[in-house]
Amino acid sequence: MEGLRPDRPARDARAFVTLVTNADYVLGATALIHSLKATGTTADIVVLHTDADVAPLRTLDVRLVRCDLLPTSDAFNQTHARDALHARAAFTKGGKPPFHTPLDNFAKLRLWQLEYDRVVFLDADTLVLRNIDKLFDYPEFCAAPNVYEGWGDFHRMNSGVFTARPSATTFADMLARLDVPDAFWRRTDQTFLEHYFSDWHGLPVVYNMLQYVWFAQPQLWKWDDIRVLHFQYEKPWQDHDKADRLRPLIDLWTSYARGEVPDLSALPNP
Ligand code: UDP
Ligand code: MN
């Protein structure tokens, strides 16, 4: 827990963990937390956060754990700065919001410093639609493939949802392997974790259903099966050019963000 400043003690040995480094992802975390609570989970809910204003989260009765970004080198930080990364490895499949800072993603790795036995990490742009507590019984490292376009997607993993076993030893080893000379992790923590856990266990796509599947692979969409919905690329609280095509998903997100418990049996099909 070195360098981590929790606002209260842990209550369970298992935790759902997310990360927020700015006000936009605080909005994301708000909807995520409401959605998790609606599943009746008995695990802790933890928000790792930097110096962002997390006041809106204080009323939600979750554990807030203040942290710094990782102590990476200047060379590493320059290589992974937003403009440098976008120039070297442009995003061609979708748009990254202006408030997305690639370097911040690496702070996810701090979850390995937490005192929990078992963690399920969730990006702040996800919603948990059904109870997923059973993932705590899954080993490290489980994640779903990065599916939103075609069969080739099954070769890559998505780091928006994964299972982990915190360990100071693992954390130190990760830092040593992350910030090596000339390191360039083109999709930041996702590329690093895919490399670090190269024999990752695959979760079914329903544990990390990416929003583009709604319009790109509608045959994969079955609301009853979806456990976690993930708004990769453009965020539901943003004005963006795919909003009209994603309207029912955005409405669902808005409903959770307001603290409502939506009727999941009444959602339209793609
Ligand atoms: N994140 C953050 N601030 C940033 C970038 C990322 O807090 O500037 C956190 C947040 O939890 C976010 C996750 O890291 O959900 C990964 O980023 P994002 O979800 O935007 O990436 P995508 O899913 O679009 O690849
Ligand atoms: Mn995400």
Side-chain angles (χ1 to χ4, degrees):
M1 292 287 285
E2 204 189 354
L4 301 190
R5 281 145 284 169
D7 73 339
R8 68 188 71 186
R11 283 199 290 226
D12 199 88
R14 306 156 306 146
F16 290 108
V17 177
T18 192
L19 168 70
V20 305
T21 69
N22 61 47
D24 275 279
Y25 289 99
V26 169
L27 295 175
T30 303
L32 168 60
I33 292 163
H34 283 305
S35 76
L36 266 171
K37 294 202 164 194
T39 71
T41 182
T42 52
D44 276 9
I45 299 175
V46 173
V47 180
L48 278 173
H49 67 94
T50 55
D51 60 0
D53 178 11
V54 291
L57 303 178
R58 295 203 191 276
T59 55
L60 298 180
D61 190 30
V62 292
R63 189 171 186 228
L64 302 176
V65 179
R66 172 92 159 80
C67 67
D68 295 323
L69 296 182
L70 296 183
T72 42
S73 66
D74 290 345
F76 185 96
N77 299 349
Q78 279 160 25
T79 303
H80 297 90
R82 184 179 160 98
D83 290 349
L85 185 139
H86 282 239
R88 188 162 166 188
F91 292 89
T92 55
K93 308 288 173 75
K96 286 288 182 186
F99 50 78
H100 178 271
T101 303
L103 198 59
D104 292 8
N105 290 357
F106 293 105
K108 272 187 203 181
L109 303 187
R110 292 221 182 259
L111 70 84
W112 271 273
Q113 291 186 280
L114 294 168
E115 72 276 62
Y116 295 98
D117 292 340
R118 294 146 188 249
V119 156
V120 172
F121 180 84
L122 295 158
D123 266 7
D125 59 348
T126 59
L127 292 173
V128 179
L129 306 186
R130 297 193 161 70
N131 188 289
I132 56 168
D133 288 5
K134 77 171 196 179
L135 290 186
F136 291 115
D137 298 327
Y138 288 25
E140 173 174 275
F141 179 95
C142 298
N146 196 37
V147 172
Y148 59 86
E149 204 174 38
W151 289 107
D153 296 342
F154 279 92
H155 289 291
R156 296 191 306 136
M157 57 151 261
N158 184 284
S159 63
V161 180
F162 60 84
T163 63
R165 300 288 164 98
S167 142
T169 310
T170 305
F171 180 67
D173 185 53
M174 283 179 156
L175 277 193
R177 291 186 37 195
L178 178 73
D179 191 0
V180 292
D182 298 323
F184 177 56
W185 305 104
R186 53 187 293 124
R187 293 299 174 250
T188 62
D189 67 292
Q190 179 160 289
T191 313
F192 176 73
L193 290 169
E194 189 172 31
H195 177 84
Y196 192 84
F197 295 107
S198 53
D199 61 346
W200 55 286
H201 304 289
L203 293 174
V205 290
V206 292
Y207 284 96
N208 187 354
M209 188 56 87
L210 302 177
Q211 63 175 345
Y212 285 11
V213 172
W214 175 261
F215 56 74
Q217 294 173 309
Q219 70 280 14
L220 262 182
W221 204 276
K222 201 170 154 210
W223 280 114
D224 288 350
D225 291 347
I226 298 176
R227 267 81 164 159
V228 183
L229 176 55
H230 183 183
F231 294 84
Q232 103 288 15
Y233 291 122
E234 297 84 0
K235 305 308 170 209
W237 60 91
Q238 249 187 299
D239 270 333
H240 65 77
D241 63 1
K242 296 187 183 77
D244 286 338
R245 294 158 81 191
L246 294 166
R247 189 58 60 197
L249 280 58
I250 294 171
D251 289 347
L252 181 63
W253 183 88
T254 306
S255 170
Y256 278 115
R258 289 185 183 135
E260 300 160 8
V261 179
D263 180 359
L264 297 174
S265 67
L267 296 164
N269 288 312

